[in-house]
């Protein structure tokens, strides 16, 4: 599984994101009108603290992309649903992508994606393009949870 920002910060307050596995990929857009970066990092962190279901949402004015996570043991079913408006129920949307992944792979992909954005833009330029501070606090909180995760994943061996 990969989560990347190949288009990156595409304009003032806009970002492009791609999520993919071996079979499918989806392209998403996020606007600064929501806390999309922080929400995604916090949602993934909640999976590491034992929540079995959590969500994050990217607003794309008026479209919304909802990330829905269902954890089962050490795996997570990830669904991304496109909605014509962010207030709508999950069932009204169109599923763009879904995949079962190891929790460790999801966390690794999200952490790597945000590290890549920080390396590409730097935190100052990120703020200038996105309009808000880089979510350093949320990223480091997720990284700490990941390092402390006792589920037997191999991320400790990689020095991450």
């Amino acid at each position: 599984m990969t989560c990347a920002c190949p288009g990156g910060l595409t304009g003032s307050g806009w970002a492009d994101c791609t999520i993919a596995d071996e079979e499918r990929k989806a392209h998403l857009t996020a606007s600064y009108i929501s806390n999309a970066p922080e929400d995604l990092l916090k949602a993934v962190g909640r999976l590491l603290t034992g929540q079995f279901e959590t969500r994050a949402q990217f607003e794309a004015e008026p479209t919304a992309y909802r990330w829905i996570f269902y954890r089962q043991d050490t795996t997570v079913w990830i669904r991304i649903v496109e909605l014509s408006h962010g207030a709508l129920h999950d069932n009204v949307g169109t599923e763009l992508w879904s995949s079962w992944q190891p929790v460790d792979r999801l966390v690794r992909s999200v952490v790597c994606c945000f590290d890549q954005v920080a390396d590409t833009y730097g935190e100052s330029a990120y703020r200038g393009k996105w309009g808000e501070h880089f979510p350093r606090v949320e990223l480091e909180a997720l990284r700490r949870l990941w390092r402390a995760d006792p589920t037997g994943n191999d991320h400790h061996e990689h020095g991450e």
Side-chain angles (χ1 to χ4, degrees):
M1 182 190 131
T2 60
C3 182
C5 298
L9 301 172
T10 57
S12 183
W14 291 95
D16 287 334
C17 174
T18 299
I19 185 163
D21 64 7
E22 297 78 23
E23 298 175 19
R24 297 173 56 197
K25 68 179 171 181
H27 302 284
L28 316 174
T29 300
S31 166
Y32 74 98
I33 65 167
S34 69
N35 295 323
E38 294 87 348
D39 290 349
L40 180 60
L41 290 163
K42 288 176 184 178
V44 173
R46 287 191 296 271
L47 292 170
L48 289 176
T49 62
Q51 284 194 17
F52 296 107
E53 182 178 335
T54 188
R55 288 167 169 67
Q57 186 160 298
F58 289 5
E59 296 291 341
E61 303 179 53
T63 302
Y65 299 98
R66 189 167 299 147
W67 301 64
I68 308 164
F69 303 96
Y70 302 99
R71 182 173 178 161
Q72 185 175 37
D73 298 319
T74 60
T75 60
V76 60
W77 181 33
I78 309 157
R79 292 181 64 219
I80 298 179
V81 178
E82 181 179 17
L83 301 157
S84 61
H85 188 278
L88 294 174
H89 190 277
D90 298 346
N91 294 339
V92 177
T94 302
E95 185 175 282
L96 297 180
W97 185 86
S98 69
S99 180
W100 279 99
Q101 295 291 324
V103 172
D104 185 65
R105 187 174 299 154
L106 167 65
V107 177
R108 179 187 314 275
S109 294
V110 170
V111 167
C112 288
C113 178
F114 280 90
D115 284 344
Q116 177 188 30
V117 169
D119 290 346
T120 299
Y121 295 99
E123 295 188 26
S124 179
Y126 174 93
R127 180 181 170 121
K129 294 210 47 107
W130 182 250
E132 297 292 337
H133 291 287
F134 182 81
R136 177 61 61 194
V137 170
E138 294 82 1
L139 175 58
E140 295 310 320
L142 177 59
R143 198 185 313 270
R144 280 191 303 278
L145 285 169
W146 186 35
R147 287 179 178 149
D149 182 26
T151 59
N153 296 314
D154 67 351
H155 51 270
H156 304 286
E157 297 172 15
H158 297 286
E160 298 183 7

